[in-house]
Amino acid sequence: MNSAPPTSLYDRDILLWVEDTVAKLKAKDFEHLDLENLIEEVESLGISQRNALVSRLMVMLEHLLKRLYVDSPYDYNGWERTIRTQRLEISFLLEDTPSLKAHWEASFTKAWSRALKIVRQDYPDTPFPDEWPFEADLEALLDRPFWQTPP
């Protein structure tokens, strides 16, 4: 059973396709662009940025929940380092893509439900809150040391 090799450059070598597309755009050779795949790739950029925000928020919230509710002083430092790292990465992401701020609330909601599910599986005997007990705005989540003033 021989399957036919992919025929388009996009299917054969995405990096080469990107380089070729960039060269055509720079040369204003719009007539020879692979518009279908170009549109798909541009659309996926926005989705990728939103997913990156949710992913980083999820990791940060998991570690915030563990730091706030799991009684394991030995792990506090590691959890706090992860929180700081995710905060920094989120700040960089928002600096590079400011329009993501408009998606903050939806991203937080999605990340919260995923983070809560994970920590409840990892720590089934720990009573985690159903709702985030603090303010969920961007500034608070990127700056506030919530564990210093627990709920």
Side-chain angles (χ1 to χ4, degrees):
M1 221 198 277
N2 287 338
S3 64
T7 56
S8 75
L9 181 58
Y10 181 84
D11 292 328
R12 287 191 317 268
D13 187 333
I14 187 111
L15 179 58
L16 189 56
W17 175 87
V18 167
E19 291 168 351
D20 180 65
T21 301
V22 168
K24 286 175 182 169
L25 287 167
K26 286 180 177 180
K28 297 183 178 17
D29 183 9
F30 304 126
E31 194 174 313
H32 295 103
L33 284 172
D34 175 2
L35 283 177
E36 185 178 320
N37 286 315
L38 180 57
I39 290 166
E40 184 179 314
E41 288 300 317
V42 171
E43 284 177 334
S44 73
L45 285 173
I47 293 168
S48 175
Q49 294 297 305
R50 288 191 301 272
N51 287 343
L53 178 59
V54 170
S55 178
R56 296 218 175 264
L57 270 169
M58 185 179 74
V59 172
M60 185 183 72
L61 288 168
E62 284 177 52
H63 286 80
L64 277 167
L65 283 165
K66 288 187 275 190
R67 178 59 183 87
L68 286 163
Y69 296 99
V70 177
D71 185 20
S72 183
Y74 176 80
D75 294 309
Y76 289 172
N77 188 346
W79 292 334
E80 290 173 22
R81 280 195 323 265
T82 299
I83 293 163
R84 284 191 303 272
T85 298
Q86 294 306 313
R87 285 175 165 173
L88 186 60
E89 293 296 329
I90 291 168
S91 294
F92 290 153
L93 184 60
L94 293 172
E95 185 179 304
D96 289 343
T97 316
S99 62
L100 280 173
K101 292 175 186 174
H103 300 274
W104 181 261
E105 191 174 317
S107 297
F108 177 85
T109 300
K110 190 181 287 188
W112 168 255
S113 66
R114 292 175 183 177
L116 188 58
K117 182 178 180 179
I118 289 168
V119 295
R120 283 183 169 162
Q121 288 172 349
D122 291 347
Y123 300 93
D125 297 330
T126 301
F128 294 103
D130 292 328
E131 303 288 327
W132 176 245
F134 299 101
E135 60 273 21
D137 61 280
L138 173 64
E139 292 77 23
L141 278 162
L142 293 185
D143 294 324
R144 186 168 168 207
F146 296 104
W147 53 91
Q148 291 178 358
T149 54

